[in-house]
Amino acid sequence: MHLPDGFLDARTTVASATAAAAGVAIALRQVRTTLEPHRLPMLGLAAAFVFAAQMLNFPVAGGTSGHLVGGVLTAILLGPSAAVLVMTCVLIVQCFMFADGGVLALGANVFNMGVVNVCAGYAVFALLRSFTRMEQRRSMVFAAAFAAWFGTVLGSILCAGELALSGTAPWPLAFPAMANVHMVIGIGEGLATGLIMLVVMRNRPELLDAREHGARASLSFIGYGLLTCAGLAVFVAPFACGWPDGLEKVSQLLGFERQGANAVTAPFADYCLPWIGSTTAATAIAGLIGTLLAFAAAYLLARVLVPALRAPRKDAASGN
Amino acid sequence: MQLPATERRTGASVSRTPPSIKLGTALALVLFICLLPRRLTATYGIVAGILLFLWPLCRMPFLFALRRLLVMEFFIAGVALLSLLTPSATPVVLAALAKSNLCVFTMLLLIWTTPFHDILGQLRKLRMPTVMLTTLALMYRFLPVLLEESRRMQRARASRTFSRRRRLAWDNLAAILGQLFIRSAERAERIYLAMCARGWK
């Protein structure tokens, strides 16, 4: 999902960078006021951990392999605001040490993978935790696995919206492709997140007690929620339901609209895949089914994994 | 994936120019490339010429560039494939392909000649918030440590496991990553104590 430079046009770059900056500003404010000083090095170490985790490949069917992205995992382990900062730092290092993801596209990447993925995933996790009446560890694994899947898919949909808004890839193609691929990738992410949560809960459950909480946290939740909704409204809504393009008006007002962008997006407006009637509707239905399937899969995972916990298993107990 | 080594770059003359100039030039080039019109024009050739002129000056090895470009090419090719299905978009896609490749190449030249701590210094001058700077600096410092630690754990695990079943591989990797997180949390506590002992704050 790392967008390279050159795929986004000026207005999308500016809009996504503004959204990312707002998200990081909320996170910074929250971390400054609530993070205890002795937890500060943990941010850096968690960022290094996420990066190291991304380099270990999980085997997937047919000799291919995938790796963890880790946004939702970090949010569950450290709290959402810390996770936003951690993921932002990971993306900055990936950009300036490995040329992975563009410099100008850094705003879009931070918004997709650092803000929306983390915050929406954490919100789903918190909701599921409060609504399920299961044994504590089981509900943790279930909520973590589903939240990780959800965050991945939502991030990819935003990515598709940004590409479509820039006129690089037409929405009827970009949306199903990105969403479907990431609905599959998200299974791996959810599975890995659930398994890792289980290992941490089994060995050091007290690490999970030190997360942020309190009245100020809910204030930042409102901020993240508004930001996520704004992102969806700007990048996805114009394609999904034919709303007027709000960003177009804003960019006309501000005068930085580029001439090419309009001419490029127009031919795609009524574009439909020949072999499926209406792709957006088809994908929406497929997405609904996929969501239900992922929900059931996460529940099954928790059912299967957590009873095994009662009988102590030696093989997964320690690293060395 | 290997971390870019720092010691190999000391010879190049470009490596000794101030990081602010390198960073500024690279960002200006990337901005210029991104603002080019969305159809292939002669300007793309001129930019490519500039980059090819800079390449020997930076003494970036061919294999390093190729390997890093190929990693990015997956995403680029995916998007290109999507757009090639719509005939009207071909010039846009070709331009986007050229743009993203040129931008990645520019960033590779920057990365090869500029160690990350120089970029950190520039970010500090640009008044990046302290929390972010500390996180970035600690991350840069402990990235090799944690990578080495995860490899050690993987090796230890591999030498004790005699099965290559997929289920086991997932269990093992999750155990290693969970353990790695626990160890990084413990290390963070020790780092805090060490920072305090050296008069932090």
Side-chain angles (χ1 to χ4, degrees):
Chain A
M1 243 198 289
H2 287 75
L3 279 167
D5 279 324
F7 278 178
L8 301 181
D9 63 356
R11 53 181 195 150
T12 318
T13 308
V14 172
S16 56
T18 315
V24 173
I26 298 174
L28 271 174
R29 195 185 143 80
Q30 176 70 16
V31 163
R32 266 203 209 109
T33 47
T34 56
L35 195 80
E36 298 136 40
H38 73 269
R39 302 267 297 159
L40 186 62
M42 190 56 221
L43 293 187
L45 267 286
F49 161 75
V50 169
F51 203 103
Q54 293 188 349
M55 288 192 180
L56 291 186
N57 286 320
F58 283 95
V60 191
T64 54
S65 58
H67 67 78
L68 188 77
V69 178
V72 180
L73 179 72
T74 322
I76 297 168
L77 291 170
L78 301 182
S81 297
V84 169
L85 292 188
V86 164
M87 290 312 283
T88 307
C89 287
V90 168
L91 288 167
I92 291 175
V93 166
Q94 277 173 339
C95 172
F96 282 108
M97 262 175 94
F98 298 94
D100 214 356
V103 200
L104 295 182
L106 194 60
N109 284 329
V110 166
F111 186 59
N112 297 345
M113 285 184 275
V115 180
V116 170
N117 173 19
V118 167
C119 298
Y122 187 79
V124 168
F125 170 79
L127 270 179
L128 282 182
R129 276 300 313 274
S130 61
F131 280 128
T132 49
R133 292 210 193 93
M134 288 191 263
E135 193 249 332
Q136 204 209 348
R137 284 185 194 176
R138 187 180 278 175
S139 78
M140 270 297 225
V141 171
F142 164 60
F146 183 73
W149 181 86
F150 182 83
T152 311
V153 175
L154 196 65
S156 77
I157 291 175
L158 269 178
C159 188
E162 281 153 11
L163 282 174
L165 202 62
S166 306
T168 312
W171 172 256
L173 281 173
F175 171 55
M178 287 295 279
N180 290 338
V181 166
H182 283 87
M183 272 159 75
V184 177
I185 292 178
I187 295 174
E189 178 84 10
L191 195 53
T193 304
L195 286 171
I196 293 170
M197 284 302 296
L198 196 62
V199 175
V200 175
M201 277 188 296
R202 189 154 43 189
N203 293 327
R204 287 285 300 273
E206 72 274 14
L207 281 179
L208 289 170
D209 301 335
R211 288 170 294 155
E212 66 187 275
H213 46 266
R216 294 202 65 97
S218 62
L219 206 70
S220 68
F221 284 166
I222 296 173
Y224 292 136
L226 283 178
L227 209 57
T228 306
C229 293
L232 285 174
V234 169
F235 296 124
V236 178
F239 306 102
C241 53
W243 284 355
D245 189 345
L247 198 62
E248 201 111 281
K249 291 213 173 66
V250 174
S251 55
Q252 270 168 357
L253 280 177
L254 295 177
F256 61 74
E257 187 191 25
R258 294 182 49 222
Q259 296 303 313
N262 259 335
V264 166
T265 7
F268 303 138
D270 305 318
Y271 186 86
C272 268
L273 278 182
W275 55 89
I276 309 173
S278 157
T279 22
T280 308
T283 314
I285 293 166
L288 195 66
I289 296 169
T291 308
L292 289 176
L293 279 179
F295 197 79
Y299 182 73
L300 265 180
L301 180 77
R303 293 290 299 204
V304 168
L305 283 180
V306 177
L309 199 98
R310 302 257 163 75
R313 293 207 334 258
K314 266 191 105 177
D315 66 331
S318 70
N320 290 4
Chain B
M1 197 193 284
Q2 291 288 317
L3 294 178
T6 42
E7 65 272 15
R8 274 178 298 168
R9 319 171 225 224
T10 44
S13 58
V14 178
S15 299
R16 275 178 268 119
T17 51
S20 54
I21 294 178
K22 285 184 284 190
L23 192 65
T25 316
L27 288 186
L29 257 176
V30 168
L31 188 66
F32 179 70
I33 295 168
C34 285
L35 288 177
L36 286 178
R38 297 192 134 190
R39 61 203 135 72
L40 286 179
T41 54
T43 330
Y44 285 94
I46 296 172
V47 174
I50 295 174
L51 289 178
L52 284 180
F53 170 73
L54 285 174
W55 192 356
L57 292 183
C58 297
R59 297 192 191 165
M60 182 170 68
F62 178 71
L63 269 180
F64 170 82
L66 190 69
R67 207 179 299 136
R68 301 301 320 160
L69 264 177
L70 277 181
V71 170
M72 281 317 281
E73 220 61 47
F74 278 110
F75 192 91
I76 297 174
V79 175
L81 201 69
L82 270 183
S83 314
L84 282 178
L85 293 173
T86 53
S88 57
T90 317
V92 179
V93 177
L94 284 181
L97 275 182
K99 277 183 184 184
S100 51
N101 278 309
L102 288 175
C103 287
V104 171
F105 199 82
T106 314
M107 286 308 285
L108 285 178
L109 287 178
L110 173 74
I111 287 163
W112 184 257
T113 51
T114 319
F116 188 69
H117 53 81
D118 279 356
I119 291 175
L120 263 185
Q122 290 308 307
L123 291 177
R124 175 175 290 128
K125 275 187 201 157
L126 290 173
R127 302 286 174 92
M128 189 186 233
T130 332
V131 183
M132 295 276 282
L133 275 177
T134 317
T135 307
L136 278 173
L138 276 172
M139 180 185 175
Y140 176 62
R141 164 69 183 81
F142 285 98
L143 198 52
V145 178
L146 289 194
L147 273 179
E148 172 55 30
E149 189 147 8
S150 72
R151 280 188 197 130
R152 238 178 15 237
M153 283 158 74
Q154 244 182 336
R155 213 176 303 134
R157 179 53 63 97
S159 65
R160 287 160 178 77
T161 312
F162 301 102
S163 161
R164 290 193 62 83
R165 278 187 303 139
R166 192 169 290 136
R167 163 81 206 274
L168 202 61
W170 276 78
D171 264 2
N172 282 349
L173 265 175
I176 287 172
L177 286 180
Q179 203 65 38
L180 191 65
F181 176 77
I182 293 168
R183 288 189 187 186
S184 17
E186 285 164 355
R187 198 185 285 275
E189 284 160 21
R190 292 201 300 277
I191 291 168
Y192 179 71
L193 293 180
M195 280 159 75
C196 290
R198 284 157 182 77
W200 186 67
K201 260 201 177 171

